[in-house]
Amino acid sequence: MTDPSALVLVDHPHPHVARVTLNRPERLNAMSIELVLALDDALATVAEENGTWVVVLTGSGRGFCSGLDLEDHGVVPGIDGLTVGRIAQRAMRVYSRLVPRLRRLPQPVVAAVNGPAYGGGMCLSLGADVRLASTSAVFNATGIVNGLTSTEMGASWLLPRLVGASWAHDVLLTGRRVDADEALRVGLVSRVVDDEALGEEAVEVAAAMCAHSPYGLAMTKDVLWANLEISSLEAAIELEDRNQLMLGFTDNLPEAIRAFRDGRPPAYRDEPRRDMFS
């Protein structure tokens, strides 16, 4: 049996940046039960790293993630005594909890989509906060192609919100492949990078984000996700106002002003502001 710790690798290529790498390159990082459980554990661990402010998610080899491994998907643990229906439900939730896990991470997630992102692999990329693609990246909703549905792991909720209903319906209903250029054109990814440069570019993007307040990054992520679920402009602004006030009670804005005057980069520490009422 494969060592679960080898299926997902975690390293720290830059201060305050964690890189989480799916590591089944011989299977294009296809989702076995073992890999999915290892990924969930790795993300839970990274979430608790107070010194990690941004996460990069990618795949080893020439693919991001080719979706469910149809030949070697493994068996969900702890199923002794369960009926078939309950086993199926538990197995389904092993996969479906990954996107909510990404959303709940306090750190923004940069997906570096380095090749095929099929089925659940495409869904994983949708759960990231920022998506970069290599020139060889290909997105595909494989469920419909395999006789199932393309509505899995939050895709039916996320994709229309990211790119609009018309294009999302096209992709999820036809099962057609979407290359990097089309993904960039419709806004599914924010930039396309040469294959050999993607890894470095993703780390550079994450490192640049780390120049900002970690508190500000976490709160911005929270509001962006929460406001996807709010149908009222007024309610969205109320939430924004409260989060902006919370950051306003730190010394960050005075530090930004001091740094501007001194001609230096700001050093945000998220410490309480002490001059507001003096």
Side-chain angles (χ1 to χ4, degrees):
M1 179 178 292
T2 304
D3 178 4
S5 65
L7 293 174
V8 176
L9 307 178
V10 179
D11 69 325
H12 297 81
H14 187 275
H16 307 303
V17 175
R19 179 168 50 199
V20 178
T21 305
L22 309 182
N23 190 40
R24 294 184 76 205
E26 74 285 357
R27 301 291 298 166
L28 289 178
N29 303 310
M31 288 177 163
S32 64
I33 288 287
E34 292 78 13
L35 180 140
V36 171
L37 290 172
L39 176 58
D40 188 62
D41 287 344
L43 293 174
T45 298
V46 167
E48 298 297 323
E49 294 181 355
N50 294 336
T52 293
W53 301 350
V54 183
V55 175
V56 174
L57 177 64
T58 192
S60 61
R62 59 185 182 87
F64 180 72
C65 174
S66 59
L68 178 65
D69 191 327
L70 299 178
E71 296 182 4
D72 184 20
H73 50 74
V75 178
V76 65
I79 58 174
D80 291 346
L82 297 183
T83 60
V84 171
R86 293 178 67 194
I87 292 171
Q89 182 185 45
R90 182 168 295 183
M92 183 67 70
R93 287 180 177 170
V94 167
Y95 296 94
S96 63
R97 70 187 180 188
L98 283 177
V99 169
R101 169 74 77 185
L102 289 169
R103 183 263 175 269
R104 288 193 300 267
L105 287 185
Q107 306 96 338
V109 178
V110 178
V113 183
N114 55 313
Y118 283 11
M122 185 178 80
C123 296
L124 272 183
S125 74
L126 300 181
D129 302 285
V130 177
R131 279 163 299 283
L132 314 181
S134 68
T135 52
S136 65
V138 183
F139 299 85
N140 180 238
T142 54
I144 198 75
V145 176
N146 293 328
L148 302 173
T149 82
S150 294
T151 54
E152 58 178 342
M153 295 176 64
S156 63
W157 191 90
L158 283 166
L159 193 59
R161 284 166 170 79
L162 291 171
V163 299
S166 179
W167 193 85
H169 289 187
D170 179 342
V171 170
L172 295 180
L173 286 168
T174 65
R176 67 181 180 84
R177 293 176 175 85
V178 176
D179 64 20
D181 288 340
E182 182 178 359
L184 179 64
R185 187 171 68 252
V186 301
L188 179 59
V189 301
S190 56
R191 64 188 81 177
V192 174
V193 183
D194 288 343
D195 287 12
E196 61 274 11
L198 178 66
E200 182 177 349
E201 177 78 4
V203 172
E204 288 180 358
V205 168
M209 292 166 68
C210 291
H212 306 313
S213 153
Y215 189 23
L217 287 171
M219 296 294 268
T220 299
K221 171 173 177 167
D222 279 352
V223 171
L224 285 170
W225 278 92
N227 280 350
L228 282 177
E229 303 187 39
I230 291 177
S231 57
S232 161
L233 172 62
E234 296 290 342
I237 291 173
E238 287 291 337
L239 180 57
E240 290 177 345
D241 284 353
R242 280 154 180 76
N243 274 23
Q244 196 72 304
L245 284 170
M246 291 174 71
L247 269 296
F249 281 105
T250 71
D251 190 53
N252 288 354
L253 182 56
E255 165 59 13
I257 295 170
R258 291 190 297 265
F260 177 78
R261 289 173 177 168
D262 297 343
R264 60 173 175 82
Y268 298 122
R269 296 185 174 85
D270 298 329
E271 294 175 347
R273 185 171 179 176
R274 304 186 185 279
D275 66 339
M276 291 193 75
F277 305 107
S278 60

